[in-house]
Amino acid sequence: MNHQFNWAVLWEYRELLLAGLKITIQLSSISIVICTVLGIILGIMRLAKNALVRLFASAYVEFFVNTPLIIQMFFWYFALPMMLPETLRFWLWSHNYEFIASVIGLSIYTSSFIAEAVRAGIQAIDKGQREAALSTGLSGFQTMWYIILPQAVRIVIPPICNQYLNLIKNSSLAMTIAVPEITFQAQAIESYTFRGFEAFTAATLIYISLTLTVSFLMSRVERWASKGQRAVVA
Amino acid sequence: MTSHQQSYISVCPHCRQPITPSDERPSLEVVQADSAPAKPQRNGEPIISFRQVNKWFGKLHVLKDINEDIYPGEVVVIIGPSGSGKSTMLRCINRLETIQSGRLVVDGYEISNPKVNITPVRAEIGMVFQHFHLYPHKTVLENIMLAPMKVRKIPQTEAKSIALELLKKVGIPEKAEAYPAQLSGGQQQRVAIARGLAMRPKIMLFDEPTSALDPEMIKEVLDVMKALAREGMTMVVVTHEMGFAREVADRVLFMDGGSIIERGTPEHFFVNPVEERTKAFLRQIL
């Protein structure tokens, strides 16, 4: 091996890396918010009394869990606009549509995994909790909001955290539809300088610091959500 | 007492009509045994009325032609072997179980009609479960305050003073800020009773409230229930505590195989039961 490392190119192209980091953070955080909301709604829908609602939610989950994310991204980016009226299509294309399409792709894909976690979390709560809450006169919605979900949150935080980490890593697929995020920029630096090792090492380290930060934050959230339950021997 | 609290007590939450004195709910004050008011006589309409009620779990016929009237102020104790349908009958009263045929009227609502919204009826019925079912993520105080604040829309400060008063009544005011997991079983059950009372219900349902407790904790829960009975609360109690039934019940129902086999005063029931099955049951447990 006689490769001469030149880490200076990273400093030289720091603007690109920082711009990529900014896009990755934007893409991931917007998608995390949307997929969480969608996932909770779908998880509850999978347990609905109405069979039609249940069927819809199950079909949604099965469909998006069982198709590759990159195909879904291509669909949202290349296929969907073709179904739209021409003016809307051109409007989208001139308004950063690749970013919007990747948010849609990441959110919907991840929401179907989160829905499964939420469903399992709700089912893990003793049905006596629901009965006790209903017996005091709380409505079905209030029971879900004040009693079931807060307890389910504690259970579903670890699996949901895993999905957030997957989402951050999966956001690298957005480069395939020309979103200039971290992987895209690392690729760009490689093609400008032929310094692939340095560029992708930088991208790797950036992803690791992002995911470790999210893991840390989620463990704090988990501690907060477990108040009461951890007090057993206090 | 603030003026707001006053209006909350004296106006019916459903029809917004002032409540006449005869409807007045039991006060929150701790009533000493010797100063307890006399038991109200059976008067007027029953507050719970079963007519030809039937229920199946799949093919299993768990309630068979139940007919029973329970009047305001009565303490009715339901006993019987396990699987006899007593808990199911109790759970029908606030529609935790639905019935398949017959008529069930509670507090003037025909709850056997699936179109009747059960939520306002449940607000008038407190329920205490075998396994307490306190909310583990909320403090004792929050457990008690939740329903009054969210259902009755009582302001937080007032809900808190109601909750503290109830905790005093059940004898554990010092546990207000504790979480359920920090309490003993008996304490948890007393909090559960306080949670049920916080809505100032007209009826309290008890589903084997002492069955999950260690023997030394049973008394503290029964004492709270006895005090409640003396205040004139309408109570329906499923229990295996024969001492409680004998001492507190106005009437005892004996169920077996989904039917009410025998009913009567505790004296009738424990001293000269008529039915063979009742006698057999009593021989086994007494």
Side-chain angles (χ1 to χ4, degrees):
Chain A
M1 248 190 34
N2 54 2
H3 183 74
Q4 293 295 306
F5 292 104
N6 179 4
W7 297 100
V9 296
L10 297 180
W11 181 249
E12 200 177 324
Y13 286 93
R14 63 188 182 278
E15 299 293 333
L16 286 189
L17 286 174
L18 284 176
L21 174 63
K22 191 177 148 208
I23 300 278
T24 293
I25 290 176
Q26 281 175 345
L27 185 57
S28 302
S29 45
I30 295 173
S31 302
I32 280 175
V33 171
I34 299 177
C35 77
T36 307
V37 174
L38 277 179
I40 292 173
I41 294 172
L42 283 156
I44 294 172
M45 283 170 72
R46 288 208 69 175
L47 299 168
K49 262 190 240 148
N50 187 317
L52 226 63
V53 173
R54 269 201 322 269
L55 186 73
F56 169 81
S58 307
Y60 176 104
V61 168
E62 292 303 331
F63 185 84
F64 289 107
V65 161
N66 290 305
T67 43
L69 175 57
I70 195 164
I71 299 285
Q72 292 179 32
M73 286 230 188
F74 284 173
F75 179 86
W76 299 119
Y77 185 59
F78 295 113
L80 183 69
M82 297 307 161
M83 326 272 286
L84 302 173
E86 196 168 295
T87 43
L88 182 55
R89 192 188 321 157
F90 283 111
W91 185 87
L92 281 175
W93 279 340
S94 60
H95 283 82
N96 209 359
Y97 182 58
E98 63 278 5
F99 185 82
I100 298 171
S102 48
V103 166
I104 297 176
L106 283 170
S107 305
I108 290 187
Y109 179 75
T110 315
S111 71
S112 53
F113 289 93
I114 289 181
E116 282 301 87
V118 168
R119 178 183 60 83
I122 291 173
Q123 282 178 323
I125 305 298
D126 183 350
K127 76 177 171 54
Q129 289 289 312
R130 185 182 148 76
E131 290 181 348
L134 290 176
S135 79
T136 63
L138 292 175
S139 68
F141 179 81
Q142 288 172 324
T143 299
M144 189 53 91
W145 188 251
Y146 295 113
I147 304 303
I148 309 296
L149 283 182
Q151 295 181 59
V153 160
R154 184 181 61 93
I155 299 173
V156 302
I157 281 175
I160 283 188
C161 175
N162 281 339
Q163 293 308 324
Y164 289 171
L165 303 185
N166 279 340
L167 187 148
I168 292 169
K169 292 178 286 175
N170 286 338
S171 72
S172 58
L173 285 176
M175 77 167 288
T176 59
I177 54 174
V179 176
E181 43 67 72
I182 285 287
T183 315
F184 182 99
Q185 302 292 18
Q187 172 94 48
I189 294 171
E190 195 272 341
S191 57
Y192 296 149
T193 63
F194 298 107
R195 291 287 169 187
F197 191 94
E198 290 83 347
F200 289 113
T201 303
T204 305
L205 292 177
I206 291 173
Y207 279 115
I208 285 182
S209 25
L210 279 179
T211 48
L212 288 181
T213 307
V214 169
S215 281
F216 173 75
L217 290 177
M218 292 299 282
S219 71
R220 300 311 294 252
V221 174
E222 190 186 356
R223 280 181 64 162
W224 166 81
S226 304
K227 68 181 157 71
Q229 277 98 331
R230 291 183 307 117
V232 181
V233 283
Chain B
M1 202 178 263
T2 66
S3 61
H4 190 103
Q5 201 170 355
Q6 193 68 51
S7 69
Y8 152 64
I9 290 173
S10 56
V11 175
C12 169
H14 308 308
C15 53
R16 299 285 162 210
Q17 294 297 309
I19 291 172
T20 54
S22 64
D23 287 350
E24 214 155 64
R25 298 172 198 192
S27 77
L28 282 175
E29 284 148 42
V30 181
V31 177
Q32 297 303 320
D34 45 1
S35 67
K39 272 271 173 214
Q41 294 301 305
R42 254 196 203 196
N43 49 8
E45 296 290 302
I47 191 162
I48 303 169
S49 172
F50 288 79
R51 282 291 170 276
Q52 291 297 114
V53 168
N54 280 281
K55 175 172 181 62
W56 286 264
F57 283 126
K59 280 185 180 165
L60 189 65
H61 198 172
V62 283
L63 292 180
K64 297 173 184 162
D65 292 333
I66 300 291
N67 286 293
E68 185 59 39
D69 285 326
I70 295 169
Y71 289 81
E74 265 195 315
V75 176
V76 174
V77 171
I78 308 176
I79 64 176
S82 59
S84 60
K86 50 194 194 311
S87 280
T88 307
M89 178 177 166
L90 189 78
R91 288 161 57 85
C92 288
I93 295 171
N94 62 357
R95 211 197 267 165
L96 288 181
E97 304 289 351
T98 52
I99 63 174
Q100 273 82 53
S101 76
R103 205 172 121 89
L104 176 52
V105 179
V106 177
D107 192 24
Y109 292 85
E110 192 181 329
I111 66 166
S112 44
N113 179 352
K115 286 186 191 129
V116 170
N117 179 11
I118 191 69
T119 306
V121 190
R122 282 176 176 155
E124 301 296 326
I125 306 174
M127 186 160 189
V128 175
F129 299 84
Q130 181 177 353
H131 295 289
F132 332 133
H133 298 321
L134 294 178
Y135 313 134
H137 59 302
K138 292 186 176 294
T139 64
V140 163
L141 216 49
E142 289 166 345
N143 263 273
I144 302 172
M145 289 162 62
L146 183 72
M149 283 170 60
K150 300 305 174 189
V151 179
R152 300 253 200 251
K153 312 289 183 205
I154 295 178
Q156 186 175 7
T157 49
E158 202 182 320
K160 189 169 177 180
S161 69
I162 291 174
L164 286 171
E165 223 168 320
L166 284 167
L167 279 179
K168 227 179 283 169
K169 181 178 173 137
V170 300
I172 38 175
E174 73 281 6
K175 297 293 184 185
E177 300 299 335
Y179 282 97
Q182 296 168 305
L183 306 183
S184 72
Q187 291 171 332
Q188 289 192 47
Q189 195 61 301
R190 286 186 281 159
V191 172
I193 295 173
R195 177 176 67 181
L197 291 174
M199 292 293 283
R200 298 174 197 262
K202 294 178 183 167
I203 305 167
M204 283 291 283
L205 308 178
F206 293 83
D207 190 359
E208 302 202 22
T210 57
S211 299
L213 297 178
D214 292 338
E216 73 269 25
M217 293 170 183
I218 291 177
K219 185 176 177 296
E220 65 191 45
V221 171
L222 292 181
D223 284 346
V224 170
M225 292 170 64
K226 285 176 194 167
L228 205 54
R230 280 194 296 268
E231 289 168 30
M233 174 64 78
T234 309
M235 293 165 66
V236 187
V237 184
V238 171
T239 187
H240 296 294
E241 293 296 326
M242 295 303 143
F244 177 83
R246 205 186 278 234
E247 186 185 335
V248 183
D250 294 306
R251 276 187 311 129
V252 177
L253 309 181
F254 173 69
M255 289 185 76
D256 193 14
S259 309
I260 299 175
I261 304 291
E262 184 153 5
R263 65 195 89 201
T265 62
E267 295 75 44
H268 160 89
F269 190 83
F270 290 104
V271 182
N272 7 290
V274 178
E275 301 290 331
E276 256 331 295
R277 267 193 278 182
T278 316
K279 288 178 192 166
F281 178 74
L282 289 175
R283 265 198 305 278
Q284 292 208 324
I285 55 155
L286 290 182

